[in-house]
Amino acid sequence: MSWIGVWHRERRCFDAAGLTEQGEHPRLLLREPDALLAAGSLVVEFELPMRPTPDPVIRFARGGDWPLLFELNADPDGAVDLQLDQYGHLQHQRVHPVGAGRGDRLRLTLSWNAPAFCGQLTVERLAGGPSAHVALQAPRPWRLDDLRALLSGPPEASMAPTVTYVALSAQQEPTGPMPGLTAQTPVETDHGPRPIAQLQRGDLLRVAGGDLVPVLHVVRRRVPAFGAFRPVQLRAPFFGLSEDLFVAPSQRVLLTGSEVEYLFGCEAVLAAAETLATTRIGAMAPRTDTLVDYFQVVLPGNEAPIVAGLAVESLFLGRIRRDRARLSASLLADIDRNSLPEHATSPLPVVRAFDAAVLAEQRSA
């Protein structure tokens, strides 16, 4: 059990027994109203305000024997302010991701582990760059009934129009590098294509340029299928695809060809899948499931494996193994840090949405 609740304008569900891919179980499993969630995470995706004054993002308050106040506010300069008053225990934190500014999309993760007396507030820019972390001292557990009310949205909780979704997990959710390929993505190996979900450490993958490279690790994460996690469909046969590909919006693909050389003056460029989602060669996948599983491989030099005929970026780690705090908060926390490579930033240019759209139009013309 991990995700137990989601608020989205198109779908709202809460099940203390754990959500299925389609949402709640056929028969909702209830707990006592005062049951506590001792460890968990609240994940909020939202946009920073465009106007020059701070904006409320979420406000949720309850009185009675268990008074609670949860307020999240955002400044146009990128700072995020959290105030959490649980039953008389006040936490007030302010974080400012480097480079964040008006209109940027952010993902906030508030995690807590009351028995271990630890928690963390993390804010990540969805466009990339370093995240901001603040340790929480002795966080309180949440009442499940309060969390259910928060995820019911208005009128119980005030949600700004800039909020994409709010999700609740019954565990401390990782932050940092995230996988971006769905389970059935066919990856080219030395023995032909295999679904990425079946790959193991040591398997040899065919990468851009034709070399074979060993898999160091395969990572997986289940996430809500909304916002920056909603799959993008890349359509065959564009860019050499042998079949339609479903990937995370942040998954970067390697684009080559005469159009790339003409437009950008180089042999190849990287483009995030979301930049192709509004073109004729891509689209946001139809919304069917509440949750989606993403996979990715860790390769020695951040090589680009071939999937369905298209080269895609493998998991970029940078120097995360040198940063124990970031490493312990990531999907790689349980992996021996000595087995993790260090990746230099790719020399390939990353194209913007406008340039990706021009390239897509050139290719599909």
Side-chain angles (χ1 to χ4, degrees):
M1 178 184 72
S2 174
W3 299 100
I4 62 176
V6 171
W7 176 89
H8 184 270
R9 285 177 174 80
E10 296 178 10
R11 186 173 303 179
R12 304 175 192 182
C13 46
F14 183 91
D15 192 335
L19 297 179
T20 68
E21 289 186 1
Q22 290 72 38
E24 299 169 352
H25 288 80
R27 183 176 180 181
L28 184 65
L29 301 180
L30 299 175
R31 297 185 180 182
E32 293 296 323
D34 291 338
L36 299 177
L37 188 64
S41 300
L42 272 173
V43 179
V44 184
E45 185 180 311
F46 62 99
E47 289 185 9
L48 290 171
M50 293 296 294
R51 58 188 183 184
T53 56
D55 263 4
V57 179
I58 298 177
R59 189 180 191 280
F60 174 64
R62 303 194 93 185
D65 296 334
W66 298 80
L68 181 144
L69 174 65
F70 176 78
E71 280 192 335
L72 184 63
N73 297 285
D75 291 347
D77 67 355
V80 178
D81 189 271
L82 171 70
Q83 183 172 330
L84 176 60
D85 190 347
Q86 291 173 289
Y87 335 125
H89 178 70
L90 178 64
Q91 293 265 12
H92 187 193
Q93 301 291 348
R94 185 177 178 84
V95 293
H96 192 165
V98 175
R102 294 186 188 183
D104 272 354
R105 293 185 300 155
L106 304 181
R107 179 166 56 239
L108 177 146
T109 303
L110 172 65
S111 62
W112 66 94
N113 187 332
F117 298 97
C118 66
Q120 183 166 274
L121 175 66
T122 302
V123 179
E124 303 168 276
R125 288 183 67 216
L126 299 182
S131 55
H133 305 266
V134 175
L136 303 180
Q137 302 300 320
R140 296 286 180 91
W142 281 71
R143 286 199 320 153
L144 278 171
D145 192 57
D146 292 333
L147 291 165
R148 177 202 56 75
L150 170 60
L151 292 174
S152 68
E156 291 270 19
S158 173
M159 305 282 189
T162 55
V163 176
T164 305
Y165 72 85
V166 183
L168 170 66
S169 172
Q171 65 184 28
Q172 291 183 284
E173 288 295 322
T175 58
M178 292 292 164
L181 301 178
T182 50
Q184 297 304 314
T185 301
V187 183
E188 198 64 38
T189 74
D190 57 335
H191 295 298
R194 290 174 55 194
I196 191 171
Q198 296 180 10
L199 296 180
Q200 298 179 0
R201 178 179 171 87
D203 288 339
L204 295 178
L205 305 187
R206 188 76 61 185
V207 299
D211 293 337
L212 291 173
V213 174
V215 173
L216 299 183
H217 301 284
V218 181
V219 297
R220 171 187 180 182
R221 189 183 178 197
R222 172 166 286 196
V223 291
F226 302 97
F229 289 132
R230 182 179 176 181
V232 172
Q233 179 182 7
L234 301 180
R235 300 189 178 106
F238 300 110
F239 293 112
L241 281 171
S242 59
E243 61 182 78
D244 286 4
L245 200 61
F246 292 87
V247 300
S250 60
Q251 175 64 56
R252 297 199 294 195
V253 299
L254 190 69
L255 304 181
T256 60
S258 58
E259 297 93 342
V260 171
E261 295 185 34
Y262 174 75
L263 290 171
F264 306 106
C266 55
E267 293 185 355
V269 295
L270 290 170
E274 65 180 344
T275 64
L276 302 170
T278 56
T279 68
R280 284 188 282 181
I281 68 174
M284 300 306 298
R287 195 184 307 283
T288 55
D289 291 339
T290 300
L291 304 174
V292 59
D293 289 320
Y294 286 123
F295 294 75
Q296 191 48 279
V297 292
V298 177
L299 301 181
N302 191 219
E303 294 88 352
I306 307 298
V307 301
L310 176 68
V312 302
E313 188 179 41
S314 57
L315 195 67
F316 177 76
L317 301 186
R319 295 184 173 183
I320 192 173
R321 74 176 195 154
R322 300 190 185 192
D323 189 330
R324 293 186 181 275
R326 284 184 60 216
L327 182 60
S328 64
S330 75
L331 274 174
L332 312 164
D334 295 330
I335 296 176
D336 179 5
R337 60 187 294 271
N338 294 314
S339 71
L340 296 174
E342 293 188 6
H343 294 151
T345 302
S346 173
L348 296 177
V350 180
V351 299
R352 300 168 300 176
F354 174 79
D355 294 325
V358 171
L359 179 58
E361 289 301 316
Q362 289 273 347
R363 181 59 60 94
S364 60

